[in-house]
Amino acid sequence: MFIDPRSLIAFIVLFAIATLTGAQETSHPNTEILTAQQAIAELEQGNRRCVDGKSAHGHDAGRWRERFLVKQKPFAIVLGCSDSRVAPELLFDQGFGDLFVIRVAGNIVDDDVVGSIQYAVEHLDNKLIVVLGHQNCGAVTAALSSPDQARSEPQELSRLLDRIRLAIALVDREHESTQRLAEAVEANARASVKQLRNVPSIAKAIKEKGVEVVGAVYHIDSGKTTFLNE
Ligand SMILES: [Zn+2]
């Protein structure tokens, strides 16, 4: 069989381009349900790429939008803070369709947050729920201030701060301010983890479907995210 050398060269060039662009398109195949531990590994690898300045920037590829036009298949749920410096997709270097994200100041848990997480657990079959606190959280800082000061805020904001204040009640106020804030951020993330684990439908999913709820803290100075031990 005769093959035109020009066609062969064109084929090789096109194949090389497809391979190269494909490699940059995504860090994650997004075709199978990941276990909680596999999902943590994906997030850790993505965070490492971000810290090393080697982000794959999957979110830049327009083809991702077409792929998820009708259906989404995220591999992890992230409950994070609204803080503009703490975008989960960027700090975990993930693209469109990878993460189911709920963001609220101070990554607190309320009924609507629980409802959103329940949707992703029940209908998207997610196995991992990450509560992501972060260094220098303004909401936690405000909750550490005196209750009188916090009460001067609008009613709804004041209520949000009350939730955080409950979560950080055991933090030692005598500690130096930076350490105290870091301890409060961690305690606040752990409190949200505990609250979520106690939601009956999530407790059932933990027992029967292998769902895990874990806490993590993002460090703005280093870019690193640390998953919290039990
Ligand atoms: Zn925050």
Side-chain angles (χ1 to χ4, degrees):
M1 186 177 72
F2 176 75
I3 299 174
D4 181 353
R6 282 170 304 181
S7 301
L8 189 61
I9 289 167
F11 173 78
I12 291 169
V13 168
L14 283 173
F15 180 77
I17 290 171
T19 305
L20 283 171
T21 54
Q24 288 173 352
E25 183 180 314
T26 174
S27 55
H28 171 251
N30 217 298
T31 52
E32 60 195 48
I33 293 168
L34 299 189
T35 65
Q37 290 305 313
Q38 286 171 332
I40 288 175
E42 283 286 340
L43 294 177
E44 285 180 329
Q45 282 169 24
N47 183 235
R48 208 169 300 130
R49 287 194 301 275
C50 179
V51 170
D52 293 344
K54 293 176 180 167
S55 294
H57 292 296
H59 51 282
D60 289 342
R63 276 175 292 171
W64 277 71
R65 290 196 295 274
E66 290 168 29
R67 192 187 295 178
F68 298 110
L69 183 61
V70 180
K71 209 173 160 190
Q72 61 169 321
K73 201 167 184 185
F75 71 84
I77 302 163
V78 180
L79 167 59
C81 182
S82 303
D83 192 303
S84 61
R85 301 164 293 178
V86 192
E89 288 88 348
L90 298 180
L91 66 94
F92 286 125
D93 187 32
Q94 299 299 323
F96 286 119
D98 280 334
L99 302 179
F100 189 91
V101 177
I102 302 109
R103 292 178 72 177
V104 57
N107 39 272
I108 56 136
V109 173
D110 67 10
D111 285 352
D112 293 336
V113 167
V114 169
S116 297
I117 291 174
Q118 283 171 328
Y119 173 76
V121 170
E122 300 297 326
H123 299 284
L124 303 177
D125 218 3
N126 276 162
K127 305 298 184 196
L128 178 67
I129 304 167
V130 180
V131 177
L132 183 64
H134 70 94
Q135 184 183 27
N136 290 345
C137 180
V140 175
T141 304
L144 274 170
S145 65
S146 75
D148 287 345
Q149 201 177 327
R151 266 184 215 111
S152 65
E153 300 288 356
Q155 191 184 353
E156 291 78 5
L157 174 54
S158 182
R159 204 178 303 142
L160 185 149
L161 295 177
D162 281 343
R163 285 181 189 276
I164 301 175
R165 195 169 296 111
L166 269 179
I168 62 176
L170 295 179
V171 170
D172 193 333
R173 304 295 159 133
E174 301 301 314
H175 285 170
E176 179 272 326
S177 62
T178 307
Q179 187 191 350
R180 187 172 64 229
L181 178 55
E183 288 172 1
V185 162
E186 190 173 319
N188 186 49
R190 286 186 189 279
S192 289
V193 167
K194 196 173 170 190
Q195 268 179 280
L196 289 174
R197 284 177 182 164
N198 286 332
V199 172
S201 70
I202 297 176
K204 191 166 183 264
I206 290 170
K207 207 170 161 193
E208 297 175 1
K209 291 182 175 178
V211 166
E212 291 183 25
V213 188
V214 299
V217 173
Y218 171 65
H219 302 275
I220 295 175
D221 52 6
S222 66
K224 283 184 188 164
T225 298
T226 312
F227 283 85
L228 301 175
N229 297 323
E230 288 303 308

